[in-house]
Amino acid sequence: MNGPCLERSAERDAALRAMLPHVPALGWSESALRAGLRDIGADAESAAWLFPRGPAGMAEAWSDLADRDMTAEAAGEGLHELRVPARIRTLVAIRLQGQAAHREAVRRALAILALPWNYAAAVRATARTVDAMWQAAGDASTDISFYTRRATLAGVYGATLGYWLRNPDPEAVLSFLDRRLADVARLQRPRRKAA
C-alpha cells in the first residue's frame, strides 16, 4: 500500500518527528519543517527536497509513519491470541494513543487532507492506515472481502478519529469505538427469516 507517491527514508522520518512540536503553532509548513530540522542539527535547506509535495505530502508521510509505529507497537501485543474484533480495537487504540500527544497536529493534517485538491493524498493515507490495521490483525483475504473489510474499517476509524478529536477521554473514545464495532457486527449477522 506504499503507493508511487510516497517515499520513505530515515531522513524524512526524523524530519517529521522533529517538526511535530512546531506544527501546532506553524502548521504543516516549510517553516515548521525548517524549525524541526534546526532542532536536530540537520540542514534546514533540506526542507526544499524532503517533501516536494508540500503540506499534503508532509501530512500523508506522517500518517504513514504513524501506521508503521502502530504496527511496530502492535507486534508485542499478542494480537494472534485475540478474536478479530478485539485485534482491530487494539490497533485503533494503539494508533490513537500514539497520536495523543499530537492532537493538534492530527487536526491540522486532517484539515489539509480535507481540501478538495488533496483528495488523492487523503484517500491514499486512509487506505494505507486501514490496510496496515488489517495486515497487523492477520487478514489474508484476497477476494472481495479484502475491499469490504477495509472500506468498513475506514468508516469505523474515521468516525472514531472524529470523536477522539472532540473528546480527549480515552475511556469515552474506546466506548465509542466499541459501539461502532458492535454496529458493524450487527450488520454482518445473518437475518432470521420470519416463520
Side-chain angles (χ1 to χ4, degrees):
M1 217 50 220
N2 192 10
C5 296
L6 186 71
E7 177 188 329
R8 291 176 177 161
S9 70
E11 293 83 8
R12 284 168 57 102
D13 289 353
L16 286 165
R17 293 189 199 283
M19 77 181 285
L20 275 175
H22 301 282
V23 171
L26 301 173
W28 289 95
S29 65
E30 190 170 317
S31 297
L33 178 57
R34 286 177 178 276
L37 290 169
R38 282 192 296 273
D39 289 349
I40 59 173
D43 180 10
E45 295 308 309
S46 62
W49 57 265
L50 277 171
F51 299 98
R53 291 182 41 245
M58 293 174 196
E60 184 181 358
W62 182 49
S63 177
D64 176 68
L65 178 57
D67 295 339
R68 289 183 279 131
D69 288 347
M70 172 199 67
T71 301
E73 186 174 338
E77 292 291 319
L79 291 180
H80 63 283
E81 298 169 6
L82 304 173
R83 293 177 51 93
V84 171
R87 293 177 193 180
I88 294 298
R89 181 188 193 269
T90 300
L91 288 159
V92 172
I94 289 170
R95 181 71 155 73
L96 294 176
Q97 184 179 27
Q99 303 298 297
H102 308 293
R103 193 176 302 268
E104 185 57 30
V106 172
R107 189 182 318 279
R108 287 177 170 259
L110 291 174
I112 288 168
L113 293 175
L115 296 170
W117 48 88
N118 294 330
Y119 174 78
V123 169
R124 285 191 304 268
T126 302
R128 210 175 277 114
T129 296
V130 297
D131 187 58
M133 288 177 179
W134 273 115
Q135 286 191 27
D139 179 52
S141 61
T142 56
D143 57 3
I144 191 69
S145 65
F146 176 92
Y147 299 101
T148 57
R149 287 177 181 174
R150 281 148 181 81
T152 301
L153 181 54
V156 168
Y157 177 67
T160 306
L161 182 61
Y163 185 85
W164 175 83
L165 284 170
R166 295 187 312 274
N167 189 339
D169 177 22
E171 291 304 315
V173 172
L174 289 178
S175 293
F176 180 89
L177 173 59
D178 289 339
R179 291 191 300 275
R180 300 298 69 78
L181 292 171
D183 291 344
V184 170
R186 259 193 307 280
L187 289 172
Q188 292 176 342
R189 281 190 206 122
R191 294 177 185 240
R192 284 189 181 161
K193 293 184 179 179

